[in-house]
Amino acid sequence: MAFDSLTEKLQNVFRNLRSKGRLTEDDVKEAMKEIKRALLAADVNFKVVKGFIKNVQERAIGQDVMNGLNPGQMVIKIVNEELIALMGSETTEIKLQPGSAITVIMMAGLQGAGKTTTTAKLAGKYKLKGKKPLLVACDVYRPAAIKQLQVNGEKQGVEVFSMGDSHRPADIARAALEHARKNGNNLVILDTAGRLHIDEDMMAELQEIKETVEVHQTILVIDAMTGQDAVNVAEEFNQKIGIDGVIVTKLDGDTRGGAALSVKAVTGKPILYVGMGEKLSDLEQFYPDRMASRILG
Ligand code: GDP
């Protein structure tokens, strides 16, 4: 699981702090240095680490902490609170349209990030909540992607709308919406094409979809395994097309986890869900406080 190494390092720092009765300013500064190293090793964005350490240190060196009964414990509490704040404090839900109105979600991301899998995972979640989702195959460049969406949609018992690979994605989205209106689908999830790198064509295509149908939520899927690159990708997508939230996949893997810790601070956009495995049930809503507890171990 991601963060294993970070957790171990933080626990060492905390053990050390707890073992001291009183804390001097130097003790706190030394601990901060170690926490900083641990976060950087976990591939957390440098600026984010700097800001985080500054916040924790300012609070930890205050009189009430250092003269308190249990200063080590207090510092740990501060680290926990600042980790939660870093990840956005509150759980963010995907905003759905009120009543029976159709919500259109556009899924975006680089190829291999886990977009198609996550699209099907998300549809399953909303089906359980009583929605009637329609998955839409807008990735017209890889026939395998259309097939994959169909197979996963079937597994989830969710309808998949496809027009093959010879139409423009924006036209497919428009037709899908027409289909949804006729068939009573109240959640339309567009699976768009990813490429290996961000390029103008990909952005133009997403833009065209947005200009053709009313997209209510644009969700970016990023791969935790790619660390800071994932965060850079998120920043660029947000600047170019505007995103409402992020899903971080593959947090179950042997990753350092830095992407999950940095993305909110860098882009200002919340993590909505995290992918914890290849199975279609392996998608978890994101709770900053629970994630902080996991990290602290
Ligand atoms: P796309 O190109 O972005 O549509 O990516 P896919 O949905 O095809 O996923 C690429 C690979 O990542 C597939 O083998 C998925 O099973 C795998 N994958 C997706 N999400 C997760 C996850 O959360 N954890 C793990 N371990 N694998 C994932």
Side-chain angles (χ1 to χ4, degrees), residues 8-184:
E8 199 184 315
K9 286 177 186 157
L10 290 178
Q11 282 182 346
N12 280 337
V13 179
F14 294 160
R15 203 171 301 122
N16 204 2
L17 281 176
R18 273 201 217 94
S19 71
K20 295 190 160 89
R22 287 202 155 272
L23 288 183
T24 64
E25 213 170 295
D26 281 348
D27 289 333
V28 173
K29 283 188 178 154
E30 184 53 37
M32 290 308 121
K33 255 192 219 151
E34 282 168 31
I35 293 175
K36 185 175 178 181
R37 267 200 293 273
L39 290 170
L40 289 173
D43 208 19
V44 180
N45 174 283
F46 179 69
K47 274 194 206 144
V48 173
V49 174
K50 259 181 85 172
F52 177 83
I53 294 294
K54 186 168 165 280
N55 290 347
V56 175
Q57 184 157 314
E58 262 170 26
R59 290 181 60 191
I61 286 182
Q63 286 307 312
D64 13 330
V65 174
M66 318 244 326
N67 295 334
L69 275 183
N70 211 334
Q73 207 57 43
M74 288 290 283
V75 175
I76 298 167
K77 185 166 171 278
I78 294 170
V79 171
N80 183 44
E81 286 169 5
E82 292 295 332
L83 275 179
I84 295 171
L86 190 61
M87 291 184 284
S89 299
E90 302 287 324
T91 294
T92 309
E93 300 274 353
I94 296 175
K95 282 190 195 64
L96 301 182
Q97 295 300 105
S100 58
I102 300 174
T103 303
V104 179
I105 297 177
M106 180 167 82
M107 307 292 288
L110 295 186
Q111 198 172 306
K115 187 168 17 65
T116 302
T117 311
T118 304
T119 301
K121 286 178 175 177
L122 206 55
K125 283 240 179 284
Y126 278 99
K127 189 184 168 206
L128 283 176
K129 289 185 187 181
K131 288 277 164 192
K132 194 179 171 196
L134 180 69
L135 296 178
V136 185
C138 289
D139 182 352
V140 294
Y141 307 103
R142 292 187 310 140
I146 300 178
K147 183 81 197 146
Q148 189 191 348
L149 193 67
Q150 280 164 339
V151 169
N152 285 338
E154 203 165 298
K155 279 190 200 157
Q156 299 285 57
V158 170
E159 195 186 346
V160 176
F161 183 91
S162 158
M163 288 167 66
D165 57 8
S166 55
H167 291 81
R168 296 178 76 80
D171 293 336
I172 297 173
R174 186 195 288 121
L177 216 67
E178 200 55 46
H179 179 93
R181 278 186 205 107
K182 282 195 195 122
N183 288 272

Side-chain angles (χ1 to χ4, degrees), residues 180-243:
R181 278 186 205 107
K182 282 195 195 122
N183 288 272
N185 302 100
N186 46 17
L187 180 63
V188 173
I189 311 181
L190 310 173
D191 182 29
T192 65
R195 291 180 177 75
L196 291 176
H197 303 283
I198 292 182
D199 65 35
E200 292 304 318
D201 289 347
M202 171 166 58
M203 292 301 172
E205 189 173 296
L206 296 174
Q207 208 64 54
E208 190 182 330
I209 292 175
K210 276 190 149 180
E211 283 158 13
T212 308
V213 297
E214 188 180 355
V215 172
H216 302 102
Q217 293 274 294
T218 301
I219 297 177
L220 181 70
V221 178
I222 60 173
D223 175 350
M225 308 274 269
T226 61
Q228 291 206 44
D229 281 347
V231 178
N232 295 336
V233 164
E235 202 180 5
E236 208 167 330
F237 265 91
N238 191 37
Q239 280 165 3
K240 298 235 163 90
I241 56 160
I243 59 174

